[in-house]
Amino acid sequence: MARIRILPENLSNKIAAGEVVERPASVVKELVENAIDAGADRIGVEVENGGRRLIRVADNGSGMSRDDALLAIERYATSKIRHDEDLFAIQTLGFRGEALPSIASVSRFTLATRRPDDDAGTEIRVTGGQIESVRQAGVPPGTMITARDLFFNTPARRKFMKTVATEMGHIGDGLASQALGHPRIHFELQHNQRRLRRWPSANDPAERVAAVLGAALRDDLVPLALETDAVTVSGWVAAPRVNRRTSRGVHIFVNGRHVRDRTVLHAVLHGYRQRLMKGQYPVAVCHLAVPVHEVDVNVHPAKYEVRFVRQQAVHGGVAGAVQAALVSGDRRPRPSSALSSNRNPEPPHAGGVAESGPAYGRPFRPSTPVTQGGSGPRASGLKPAAPPAVIRSASPLPQPALWPGGRFAHLKIIGQFRNTYIICEAETGLILIDQHAAHERIYYEQLRKRARSRNAAAQALLVPETLELDFRAAAVLASMREGLAHVGIDIEPFGGNTFIIRSAPDFLAQSELGPMLQSIIEGAEAAGVTPDPDNLQEESLQIMACHGAIRAHQALDGREIHRLLVQLDECENPSHCPHGRPTWIRWTAGALEKAFGRIS
Ligand SMILES: Nc1ncnc2c1ncn2[C@@H]1O[C@H](COP(=O)(O)OP(=O)(O)OP(=O)(O)O)[C@@H](O)[C@H]1O
Ligand SMILES: [Mg+2]
């Protein structure tokens, strides 16, 4: 007897379900996508016990005939594609013909459906993939699918389900993403007979964004608008003062499909570069319209990933759109409603909190003291821990200079703390300068000047440095050689995956070259794109500046400190390091007095 057998259909459906139905939220996602494809403008989702006991999605879309309904639960049955070539011109969210049979194979499943013009509808019951009954039924137009007791017949999978709260979190977040992508559709979510969310149809997509992401965000949103032949970008980015600790606030849609795409995510972050600190992520809703034959959506069974034919161009378009939006946002006056919101609770000098420099990109003078972030301590005495919290929010209201003349070089130097922070006195308060961040900024601007003038002082290395890479890293480096030459780094291939660094800018220690190039290559690899010369230049300047700058824990004498302050004054943006960290913070005299209880 042959050892190899074709699997029974029910088993192959369960295998498919393993990929498509990871958890209750995946069932909701597939059913909602079907409803959207069916042209529904009202979609209701009902869940019990985090989706373990019941998941029901009802829509008012096209509905199905009895024959179609029977076909719909067969594997590889779809109304959405017909021919090979359709696979590369997908306009619908579904196309694999797998979702319904997969869900039906791992639950107690009921499909009730009626086309608007039919007198009667159809109800099909399936248990663990076996059809139990098919009957005519009086049901409203549209389709209602119920999946009960998910994974009842696959105990191993059931064990992977998390708490009700966790599963509900995934369901809620998933539905929120769908709602962001389809503002005209009315969505509702119920859990254990209680309504959790309701998003009424919105004519203005901004209304939906505010409804889903929170009305407080509304004033901080800047629209995205950019069109190239590779991609049309629309949506919103939030001002950098609104930021998160994970990338979950970045919602990406490609031709209406919610996806997680590292290239687009990287492009969004790239658009925010220097505006956010390491570890901070923006909030953004990015819609990409890409010609259908230039995007492959058939990458993953759950369709969370896509591939772009012109990846580089898409990356450039998104980064450009985000950057342009943020620049226009910088210039935009803050609406008065935002000023009364809790982000700007009181005059900046009243609270006992430290302030950091003005927002990136804003001129240093007149300076713009920073007000307290919503969550941080406020008016409660001196809180040295406050600075990280306050970086988030910068009031753009013009304020008087922080100290007369507003120059770092005029500060009275008190000394160094832990060989890391420079302590200075200004007439208005106590200033702490992060010596590494400050020097990084100085170096960065000097490098940028040189790079722009195209006369980076490259120096031939006495003993050329060799660099041995793996295949992928070597390919990335080869594609960046020209860009690197612009910043004074000459690299030659030396056979196989080995390269020789012939020259480098004179300020770079030779021992830093290898690690620096490694981090540039890794960054490019992680993004999945070869940086164009400008991006490359930017990134290498940042890394060079960081590697070349004086470190923390380095003793500086008075002359060195003074020189640093003078150079800081020469910077275009002395208040932030190239990664967006503040270079200085201040405690006002008033804040200190308050902390010591001298004034109340
Ligand atoms: N809510 C619905 N309203 C109308 N027709 C539906 C609905 N849900 C499913 N169908 C029909 O059933 C078919 C099968 O659905 P199923 O989700 O299994 O596959 P698909 O959407 O075509 O592809 P995928 O597996 O990628 O989701 C669909 O092609 C569609 O014709
Ligand atoms: Mg589907």
Side-chain angles (χ1 to χ4, degrees), residues 461-494:
L461 302 183
L462 282 179
V463 185
E465 178 96 3
T466 35
L467 206 58
E468 290 195 39
L469 303 170
D470 64 22
F471 281 89
R472 275 181 291 180
V476 174
L477 184 61
S479 70
M480 298 193 309
R481 276 180 58 213
E482 201 183 316
L484 287 169
H486 283 313
V487 279
I489 302 181
D490 283 318
I491 295 175
E492 275 175 24
F494 195 64

Side-chain angles (χ1 to χ4, degrees), residues 422-433:
I422 298 164
I423 309 174
C424 298
E425 181 185 332
E427 217 160 87
T428 54
L430 189 67
I431 310 282
L432 282 189
I433 297 170

Side-chain angles (χ1 to χ4, degrees), residues 30 34 80 94 99:
E30 291 296 338
N34 279 347
K80 300 172 191 176

Side-chain angles (χ1 to χ4, degrees), residues 29 37 106 126 141 160 162 204 254 259 302 314 336 361 401 411 496 500 528 532 542 551 566 594:
K29 169 188 182 284
D37 282 345
V106 291
V126 184
F160 284 100
K162 302 277 193 280
D204 175 3
V254 176
V259 296
V314 169
S336 55
L411 293 172
I500 291 195
D532 63 31
Q542 279 188 22
R551 301 269 137 205
V566 170
K594 203 165 182 182

Side-chain angles (χ1 to χ4, degrees), residues 247 367 476:
S247 60
S367 75
V476 174

Side-chain angles (χ1 to χ4, degrees), residues 30-31 33-34 37 80 93-100 303:
E30 291 296 338
L31 298 181
E33 288 189 350
N34 279 347
D37 282 345
K80 300 172 191 176
L93 297 173
F95 56 89
R96 300 173 62 101
E98 268 184 334
L100 294 189
K303 294 168 285 199

Side-chain angles (χ1 to χ4, degrees), residues 45 212 250 464:
V45 178
V212 175
V250 180

